[in-house]
Amino acid sequence: MPGLPAGGFRVRRRRLAVAADQLTSAGPSAAVVDTGAVLTVPVSRVGSGAGASGRADFAAALRGLAPRYWDRHPFHLRLHAGGCAPGEVRSWVANRWYYQSMLARKNAAIIAACPLPEVRQRWAERVAFFDGAAREDWLALGDAVGLGRDELLDERYVARGTRFAVDGYLQFCRLAPWKESVAAALTELFSPELMAARIVAWRRHYRWIKSDGYAYFENRIQAVCGDAEFTLDLVLTHCRTADEQRAALAALAFKCDVLGAILDAVDYQGGVP
């Protein structure tokens, strides 16, 4: 490809999709662009044409996508540094609600596509969680930042960019092989530290937020660690070929870009009443 290092490729942070052929055609290295920085992941870690990578190298390649996660987005950095006005915090909560409200349906799509009963049974716990306790905890967060229940439920503040990104993610999980949809959920590997940091930062900088609004994050941190371990084992176990491993990496990169697109939309929105 013109302008690229020999045998490498670049994926722009704000692209909403990463084509599998971009990953399969990579040469000696694969580069992920993140706000100007380039992370190089050797192809030996993502599977070569000669065969699939071992579990350790494949796991390292998946974890190597961490710089693509939304914790480094300029809006997130400003949010955690205390630089957001109350309306911008409410915008984040309202737009993230749209993502949260989709997760049960996304997980149901994975269950419908998965042929393994033991996986379906375990994954069904996620549907119950996001349709139950997580939903109520997020509504409590909305109240804590000054959003009425109706304001979240009728989605009046959801930006069109958020709808486009989240709806695209749901459609991906409906149509992709179940292994790829599971791999996309591996942003769970990166989220516990971010949620813990969010609690600390928000309590320090946004003292106007009611204390009971942190229940979602406090309850989710420990659970997501177990979920991430289970999800990673699924992907490492069932993505056995080089093509499957590259597709899993593409799915996780795509999911990171979905999250980044949500923050792009929130940043552009500039706050809500």
Side-chain angles (χ1 to χ4, degrees), residues 37 39 44 48 51 55 77 95 121 135 141 161 172 183 197 207-208 220 223 240 244 255 263 272:
L39 170 71
S44 62
S48 65
R55 286 176 67 95
L77 295 176
N95 280 271
Q121 290 168 10
R135 178 182 173 87
L141 173 60
F172 170 82
R207 298 183 180 180
W208 53 270
R220 183 64 180 144
R240 300 187 182 96
E244 288 174 334
K255 171 64 176 305
L263 290 185
V272 301

Side-chain angles (χ1 to χ4, degrees), residues 190-223:
F190 318 132
S191 63
E193 290 184 6
L194 179 61
M195 283 191 285
R198 181 176 299 128
I199 293 172
V200 173
W202 284 24
R203 282 180 169 156
R204 178 187 300 135
H205 299 300
Y206 307 113
R207 298 183 180 180
W208 53 270
I209 297 176
K210 299 176 185 177
S211 59
D212 57 358
Y214 296 104
Y216 176 84
F217 307 120
E218 292 170 336
N219 295 333
R220 183 64 180 144
I221 290 172
Q222 189 61 42

